[in-house]
Amino acid sequence: MEQRKRKRGLIHYPVLILFSLFFVGMFLLDCVTPDRAVSELENKTLTQRPAVTAQILTPAGLNSFFNNYSQYTKDQVPGRDAWISLQSFVETALLQKTQSGGVLLGGEGQMFDRTYGLVSSEERTLPRNIAAVGALAARWPGKVYAMVAPAASAIYPERVPAGAPLLGEEDYIAQIQAAVEAGGGTFIPLEEALSAHKDEYIYYRTDHHWTTLGAYYAYSALCETLGLAPFDLSAHQAVEVPDFYGTFYSRARTWNAQPDTLTYYDLDNALTIYTVTGPGMPAEGEVTGLYDLDKLAVYDKYAAFLHGNNGLSRIEGEGEGRILVVKDSYANCLVPFLTANYAAIDVVDLRNYNYGLDALIAENGYDQILVLYSFDSFKSDPYLYRAGIEG
């Protein structure tokens, strides 16, 4: 009799039954779903199941194990991508939030980095990087040219959500310009050149980079300063790659994001990626093409340009003379245009080049040295100081 009453009583708790079935179902699904190493949509490495070792017998080891296991269950939950998309839909469509994952959701599908001011580390790195570029210009007078790409928010302020107190870049960029010019270098402002084409597709909506077209207008400003004939777009085949979702989308994961289109020009110039073991020009390297076409089939399509951020690369061009490009990833889609102007384009990414630049410059006798960074990278890069090291 009591057992029948208990069975009848469960019928009066449908929510409890549903939740129980849900968790049992999730447990069974978790058992048959293989763990993933990475989440391409989030562009992050996922935590793997922590190993059980003798350390678990200590209080600290046990605490570490449970912390790691907790993160593992979050990262490997079945249907993770769908749950994140559902959360984004609730936050943006139902709750009308204008930011997600540290990304501002602006007009016309444009996403912006939520940067309201310099963080404490940037208050140290920005002055140091300004001094480094100024010192480079002073050590190689007349050779150094610098360009700092503004954020999309500086070009499209009308698309930024109302009331968002974004960091003003103008005063800081002016400080960079002053340091370069004081050292005997040339600073090429870009905001006006890009703003003149703001009605065109010059910044990705879902990524922090400018588009290949935006890079071309920056490159054109460089050519005007140096008196060079620009790369002829009409004489080369443009290849468009659809369905590109960039770094902002990885963080915001908005349900209604408009995919971008990545464009590159079909060039057969050789690219040598060097194995760097010391200052100066390495003897050994791997010769390949300008683009890693395999990357166009995965999530991080922008990594196709120059095969990513290698420490030192050399590109063979059709022009004359040599140029050294010291850069962040903004330059990756601009550098191919330089093949029209130089016989050799050497590219250094100081994140993966652990030495000063003087030995490399002295050995190769560059006609120009171009420093090209986005402002976001310039203010935060902990390795740009290497450009200021003498020797």
Side-chain angles (χ1 to χ4, degrees):
M1 180 70 71
E2 290 182 6
Q3 188 175 9
R4 281 202 303 271
K5 287 182 178 179
R6 282 197 297 269
K7 288 182 179 179
R8 283 199 302 269
L10 287 175
I11 298 175
H12 297 292
Y13 300 97
V15 175
L16 177 61
I17 294 173
L18 290 175
F19 267 99
S20 298
L21 291 174
F22 172 79
F23 285 114
V24 169
M26 290 295 291
F27 173 76
L28 295 175
L29 188 59
D30 182 56
C31 291
V32 299
T33 302
D35 291 347
R36 296 190 299 165
V38 296
S39 169
E40 285 201 347
L41 287 177
E42 297 172 87
N43 199 23
K44 66 173 282 189
T45 301
L46 299 179
T47 305
Q48 300 302 295
R49 185 189 300 272
V52 178
T53 66
Q55 292 293 108
I56 201 174
L57 299 177
T58 66
L62 184 62
N63 183 61
S64 176
F65 175 83
F66 279 117
N67 286 339
N68 291 336
Y69 198 87
S70 176
Q71 186 60 49
Y72 162 75
T73 57
K74 292 178 182 177
D75 282 4
Q76 300 294 344
V77 63
R80 176 184 175 86
D81 293 342
W83 289 115
I84 293 175
S85 296
L86 177 61
Q87 177 186 2
S88 172
F89 173 77
V90 171
E91 290 180 347
T92 58
L94 302 183
L95 302 181
Q96 296 294 300
K97 292 180 66 174
T98 58
Q99 58 180 292
S100 177
V103 174
L104 295 175
L105 309 176
E108 299 188 34
Q110 193 85 43
M111 299 181 183
F112 304 95
D113 204 1
R114 190 184 65 185
T115 304
Y116 294 161
L118 298 180
V119 300
S120 58
S121 62
E122 293 170 345
E123 291 175 350
R124 296 187 297 271
T125 56
L126 178 56
R128 185 173 62 181
N129 291 346
I130 292 174
V133 176
L136 179 67
R139 292 200 312 279
W140 300 95
K143 285 185 177 290
V144 174
Y145 294 78
M147 299 195 299
V148 177
S153 56
I155 307 300
Y156 299 105
E158 70 279 4
R159 298 183 185 178
V160 177
L166 288 181
L167 171 69
E169 302 177 354
E170 297 81 4
D171 291 343
Y172 297 111
I173 292 178
Q175 292 176 34
I176 301 170
Q177 178 174 357
V180 171
E181 293 176 348
T186 301
F187 187 86
I188 304 173
L190 294 180
E191 185 169 342
E192 184 176 340
L194 292 170
S195 294
H197 298 277
K198 65 183 299 180
D199 292 337
E200 301 174 51
Y201 185 41
I202 60 173
Y203 279 84
Y204 293 116
R205 291 181 296 270
T206 69
D207 192 69
H208 66 286
H209 293 103
W210 53 20
T211 64
T212 303
L213 181 59
Y216 180 78
Y217 288 129
Y219 157 77
S220 298
L222 174 67
C223 288
E224 183 177 355
T225 300
L226 295 176
L228 301 173
F231 180 97
D232 186 357
L233 296 181
S234 64
H236 298 84
Q237 180 182 0
V239 181
E240 294 187 347
V241 182
D243 298 326
F244 170 44
Y245 291 91
T247 52
F248 287 156
Y249 177 76
S250 297
R251 292 156 54 189
R253 290 299 308 278
T254 50
W255 62 279
N256 59 345
Q258 305 172 47
D260 283 295
T261 298
L262 181 147
T263 300
Y264 68 95
Y265 286 85
D266 189 12
L267 306 176
D268 59 4
N269 300 77
L271 167 71
T272 302
I273 302 172
Y274 288 101
T275 301
V276 181
T277 57
M281 199 72 204
E284 297 182 358
E286 176 188 356
V287 180
T288 182
L290 273 179
Y291 311 106
D292 183 354
L293 299 180
D294 290 340
K295 288 291 192 298
L296 299 176
V298 301
Y299 178 80
D300 187 12
K301 291 177 171 54
Y302 191 85
F305 292 107
L306 306 189
H307 294 251
N309 299 313
N310 304 292
L312 176 61
S313 306
R314 171 170 290 176
I315 300 165
E316 297 176 10
E318 288 83 39
E320 298 179 353
R322 297 182 173 190
I323 187 172
L324 171 65
V325 181
V326 183
K327 59 85 181 179
D328 71 355
S329 57
Y330 259 62
N332 291 10
C333 63
L334 181 149
V335 166
F337 296 130
L338 293 171
T339 57
N341 310 109
Y342 294 92
I345 305 105
D346 286 357
V347 183
V348 166
D349 193 308
L350 290 169
R351 291 169 292 187
N352 297 300
Y353 186 87
N354 302 325
Y355 309 95
L357 298 172
D358 285 356
L360 186 68
I361 296 170
E363 185 174 343
N364 289 283
Y366 299 112
D367 298 286
Q368 284 88 31
I369 301 165
L370 173 64
V371 179
L372 173 54
Y373 278 73
S374 66
F375 176 71
D376 184 63
S377 289
F378 195 100
K379 68 181 173 61
S380 60
D381 189 341
Y383 307 108
L384 181 52
Y385 79 91
R386 291 171 179 159
I389 297 175
E390 186 173 357

